């Protein structure tokens, strides 16, 4: 595993959570408190999300951060940072309003709902699996039950649950998804919600596809196919984008090719030169 694939950011965040819980003896000056924040203790805007009520609260949030953080960091470290930042903003904005009516708040569960929705969106965009939709619906139903009943379905900690922070986290996830969709749309992609597993994209011109009719030379797809890990997404802004992903060499034989063959993959229009 290369250094880029090691989730160093997620590991660092987990280290901070565990260290704060184990090393800080008095957590009261780190809890999220709207009254104290308005009096100038602005560090509580961030520290309140990284402090936990008890060991069970810490373990559940660490488990969620380890899974969701690793999934997002594998896709893009920038997306993970953006999701954390947006989640903090949305949850903190809710807690600062008179609607919350809380003296103190702690925990990362609200922000984790932002990461959850973004991670599910990435998985659905790559696989178009109905299972991802079912998981998303189950998560939303869980939050609805917790808000309506005033309970916590998964955890039972020493503090009373505040499920509205999970709702704020979900809205933060929707905001991140919309921003990513708009970013892809501005790049001129016909299918803005599709992206391959690797974020490194190589641009190649049309001469990389098929045999040149005038020169009758073999196409260069053969040399790419021998590497066993690539996928071609064509007709995106009039150019061809090549990106490394799962092995599909079985549909790219090592032979001279003819131009114009197409294969559909999900919702992306792929153009391959097949013999």
């Amino acid at each position: 595993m290369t250094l880029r694939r090691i989730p160093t950011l997620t590991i660092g965040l987990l280290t901070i959570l565990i260290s704060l819980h184990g090393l800080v003896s008095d957590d009261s000056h780190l809890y999220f408190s709207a009254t104290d924040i308005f009096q100038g203790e602005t560090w509580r805007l961030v520290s309140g999300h990284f402090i936990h009520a008890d060991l069970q609260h810490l373990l559940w949030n660490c488990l969620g951060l380890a899974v969701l953080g690793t999934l997002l960091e594998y896709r893009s470290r920038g997306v993970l940072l953006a999701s954390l930042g947006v989640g903090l903003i949305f949850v903190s904005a809710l807690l600062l309003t008179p609607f919350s009516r809380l003296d103190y708040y702690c925990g990362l569960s609200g922000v984790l709902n932002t990461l959850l929705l973004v991670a599910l969106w990435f998985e659905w965009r790559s696989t178009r699996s109905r299972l991802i939709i079912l998981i998303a619906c189950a998560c939303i139903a869980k939050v609805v039950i917790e808000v309506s009943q005033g309970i916590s379905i998964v955890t039972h900690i020493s503090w009373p649950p505040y499920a509205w922070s999970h709702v704020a986290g979900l809205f933060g996830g929707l905001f991140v998804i919309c921003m990513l969709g708009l970013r892809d749309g501005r790049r001129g992609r016909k299918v803005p919600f599709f992206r391959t597993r690797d974020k490194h994209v190589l641009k190649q011109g049309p001469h990389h596809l098929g045999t040149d009719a005038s020169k009758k030379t073999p196409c260069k797809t053969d040399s790419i196919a021998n590497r066993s890990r690539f996928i071609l997404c064509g007709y995106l802004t009039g150019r061809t984008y090549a990106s490394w992903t799962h092995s599909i060499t079985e549909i790219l034989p090592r032979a001279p090719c003819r131009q114009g063959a197409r294969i559909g993959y999900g919702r992306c229009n792929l153009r391959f030169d097949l013999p």
Side-chain angles (χ1 to χ4, degrees):
M1 179 179 289
T2 62
L3 182 61
R4 188 175 68 85
R5 292 300 184 186
I6 298 176
T8 53
L9 178 58
T10 303
I11 294 174
L13 291 172
L14 289 171
T15 303
I16 293 174
L17 293 182
I18 297 172
S19 300
L20 286 176
H21 186 79
L23 299 179
V24 178
S25 57
D26 184 13
D27 298 339
S28 60
H29 62 285
L30 296 178
Y31 292 144
F32 192 104
S33 173
T35 303
D36 295 329
I37 289 172
F38 287 133
Q39 292 177 356
E41 299 181 7
T42 54
W43 66 85
R44 294 177 181 265
L45 285 167
V46 177
S47 65
H49 300 279
F50 291 89
I51 288 294
H52 294 84
D54 50 38
L55 182 60
Q56 183 185 13
H57 193 198
L58 172 69
L59 291 178
W60 277 108
N61 282 346
C62 284
L63 177 62
L65 178 60
V67 175
L68 299 174
T70 301
L71 287 174
L72 288 179
E73 190 169 358
Y74 176 74
R75 302 282 184 174
S76 170
R77 191 167 294 169
V79 172
L80 175 57
L81 285 172
S83 300
L84 286 169
V86 171
L88 286 171
I89 292 173
F90 271 69
V91 177
S92 298
L94 171 67
L95 296 174
L96 289 174
T97 63
F99 177 79
S100 64
R101 299 179 182 178
L102 293 178
D103 294 327
Y104 293 101
Y105 172 89
C106 68
L108 197 65
S109 58
V111 180
L112 288 179
N113 278 270
T114 301
L115 272 61
L116 173 63
L117 207 59
V118 176
L120 288 176
W121 175 71
F122 267 106
E123 293 300 322
W124 176 81
R125 192 177 62 173
S126 298
T127 64
R128 290 300 194 269
S129 173
R130 294 181 180 179
L131 179 61
I132 303 300
I133 298 178
L134 291 176
I135 294 175
C137 292
C139 294
I140 295 174
K142 168 186 172 293
V143 173
V144 170
I145 294 174
E146 289 177 338
V147 169
S148 60
Q149 301 294 326
I151 61 174
S152 177
I153 295 178
V154 178
T155 61
H156 300 282
I157 62 176
S158 56
W159 283 32
Y162 185 66
W164 282 106
S165 64
H166 299 174
V167 177
L170 291 178
F171 276 102
L174 286 175
F175 179 82
V176 174
I177 291 171
C178 291
M179 291 300 100
L180 292 174
L182 290 175
R183 182 195 65 179
D184 289 347
R186 284 195 296 268
R187 292 179 178 178
R189 302 186 178 185
K190 286 187 178 180
V191 188
F193 284 169
F194 182 90
R195 180 172 294 184
T196 51
R197 193 177 189 85
D198 201 322
K199 65 180 180 180
H200 298 285
V201 178
L202 306 175
K203 296 183 180 179
Q204 299 184 2
H207 64 278
H208 284 269
L209 293 177
T211 304
D212 189 333
S214 60
K215 298 181 180 180
K216 295 183 179 180
T217 55
C219 72
K220 298 184 180 181
T221 308
D222 179 45
S223 61
I224 300 177
N226 289 337
R227 303 188 186 185
S228 78
R229 285 173 61 83
F230 97 96
I231 192 169
L232 286 176
C233 293
Y235 300 110
L236 303 177
T237 66
R239 299 182 179 180
T240 300
Y241 290 80
S243 178
W244 302 103
T245 183
H246 298 294
S247 172
I248 55 168
T249 51
E250 63 273 8
I251 60 176
L252 291 172
R254 303 174 185 177
C257 8
R258 64 179 174 83
Q259 196 169 9
R262 295 185 184 181
I263 293 179
Y265 182 83
R267 294 182 61 186
C268 183
N269 186 25
L270 305 185
R271 180 186 177 102
F272 298 111
D273 295 286
L274 303 179

